Amino acid sequence: DQQVKQNSPSLSVQEGRISILNCDYTNSMFDYFLWYKKYPAEGPTFLISISSIKDKNEDGRFTVFLNKSAKHLSLHIVPSQPGDSAVYFCAASAAGYALNFGKGTSLLVTP
Amino acid sequence: DSGVTQTPKHLITATGQRVTLRCSPRSGDLSVYWYQQSLDQGLQFLIQYYNGEERAKGNILERFSAQQFPDLHSELNLSSLELGDSALYFCASSEGGPSYNEQFFGPGTRLTVL
């Protein structure tokens, strides 16, 4: 049973524009949410996270928004750069236990 | 470089065989996690060890087992291999403890079962 869902398998955005990646979850016990970035032939790399007590966390060009009532989070990348092209995984954790991952969204940023 | 190492990088074997994947966590990290990424699936959590003890179990088959040694490295043993076990296997480590700590992933082991 997939508790974390990324319904868009792929997204294409022009360089300089905003990329918005979405993620939905079903388990209300999740209290920590993360985004990982993955290049081919490499392991996932941590990008940004948010605790359930917050609704927004920002780190440079990356902002994660959390809407607990809708069980939805999103990752905004502004401005998007070609080097951002990768697969982005949304993940959630309950009480410090293992991460539940979505299936990923492949982002392509075109020049 | 995350500081997590995994060996081997690639493994090709036949159905029915047994293999061992190895993971060395980042220095100081007490928790080790194993994940499987199949072609059509996201990362699926298999099992977690914390300071040598099993802490949580996910979708791990009975044919699979793992352990964490006193030096904190971990091994994932896959036996009676089937074609469907072909996947990328990732190890991750974190400081551990009761609250969430960021997990750092190794580069993965690509297992191909022929």
Side-chain angles (χ1 to χ4, degrees):
Chain A
D1 180 30
Q2 195 81 19
Q3 298 185 70
V4 177
K5 297 176 185 177
Q6 294 176 257
N7 293 320
S8 299
S10 63
L11 176 67
S12 183
V13 170
Q14 247 182 338
E15 182 179 5
R17 308 291 281 266
I18 183 172
S19 295
I20 300 176
L21 294 92
N22 293 303
C23 177
D24 296 297
Y25 62 96
T26 57
N27 188 343
S28 56
M29 298 301 292
F30 288 148
D31 57 6
Y32 205 83
F33 304 88
L34 308 91
W35 286 93
Y36 278 81
K37 180 178 178 180
K38 186 180 181 304
Y39 294 113
E42 294 183 12
T45 303
F46 170 74
L47 193 59
I48 191 169
S49 63
I50 187 167
S51 161
S52 60
I53 62 173
K54 294 185 174 182
D55 55 18
K56 177 182 173 182
N57 189 25
E58 202 169 345
D59 184 2
R61 297 185 296 114
F62 303 91
T63 304
V64 57
F65 295 92
L66 176 63
N67 182 335
K68 287 188 291 294
S69 59
K71 293 193 177 69
H72 177 85
L73 65 156
S74 61
L75 173 69
H76 293 210
I77 307 174
V78 183
S80 300
Q81 299 174 354
D84 296 329
S85 297
V87 178
Y88 289 79
F89 289 96
C90 170
S93 172
Y97 283 88
L99 295 172
N100 291 265
F101 281 88
K103 292 189 178 183
T105 296
S106 179
L107 173 66
L108 177 64
V109 180
T110 56
Chain B
D1 184 359
S2 66
V4 178
T5 60
Q6 289 186 249
T7 56
K9 198 168 177 60
H10 300 278
L11 200 48
I12 300 174
T13 188
T15 54
Q17 295 298 304
R18 182 178 191 274
V19 296
T20 298
L21 312 184
R22 183 188 167 103
C23 168
S24 293
R26 287 189 324 152
S27 176
D29 283 356
L30 299 179
S31 267
V32 169
Y33 309 77
W34 286 97
Y35 293 88
Q36 179 193 56
Q37 185 183 21
S38 303
L39 203 58
D40 60 345
Q41 296 288 328
L43 288 139
Q44 300 283 321
F45 167 64
L46 296 177
I47 196 164
Q48 178 197 0
Y49 278 82
Y50 174 73
N51 204 19
E53 300 285 329
E54 183 185 302
R55 188 169 187 221
K57 240 178 181 174
N59 301 321
I60 188 165
L61 299 171
E62 285 192 14
R63 300 184 284 109
F64 295 2
S65 65
Q67 53 184 325
Q68 186 179 28
F69 294 87
D71 68 352
L72 300 176
H73 91 271
S74 177
E75 292 181 357
L76 178 67
N77 300 295
L78 315 176
S79 61
S80 303
L81 285 168
E82 301 175 0
L83 295 177
D85 297 327
S86 295
L88 266 169
Y89 291 85
F90 289 103
C91 166
S93 74
S94 73
E95 293 174 8
S99 60
Y100 181 76
N101 292 282
E102 178 188 327
Q103 293 181 25
F104 294 85
F105 282 78
T109 292
R110 180 173 291 281
L111 173 66
T112 303
V113 182
L114 301 175

